[in-house]
Amino acid sequence: MGENFSNAAYFSFVTLTTLGYGDISPITPLAQVVVYLEAIVGVFYMAIVVSSLVSANIENRENNNG
């Protein structure tokens, strides 16, 4: 179980960061769909994190200048 979790965590990290080493790949159609969805969610998640940081920075500047 520990090895499967380790492989899944590694594969998930490689998918979310779009590194794509190529040493592990999904074989079944269900696994392929999960990987596509995880990649899409990962991109949106990073966009939300970056936009939140930018928004907080802008709000902080407005509070300090106003």
Side-chain angles (χ1 to χ4, degrees):
M1 165 123 174
E3 185 176 326
N4 283 341
F5 179 77
S6 177
N7 285 337
Y10 168 76
F11 184 71
S12 180
F13 178 77
V14 169
T15 300
L16 285 174
T17 58
T18 65
L19 292 174
Y21 291 136
D23 54 345
I24 300 176
S25 59
I27 296 173
T28 66
L30 177 62
Q32 291 172 349
V33 169
V34 170
V35 168
Y36 294 139
L37 292 175
E38 183 177 7
I40 291 169
V41 168
V43 169
F44 282 122
Y45 177 75
M46 288 307 300
I48 290 169
V49 168
V50 170
S51 66
S52 296
L53 291 172
V54 169
S55 176
N57 187 18
I58 290 172
E59 185 177 330
N60 188 26
R61 285 184 184 186
E62 289 176 355
N63 289 339
N64 289 339
N65 292 334

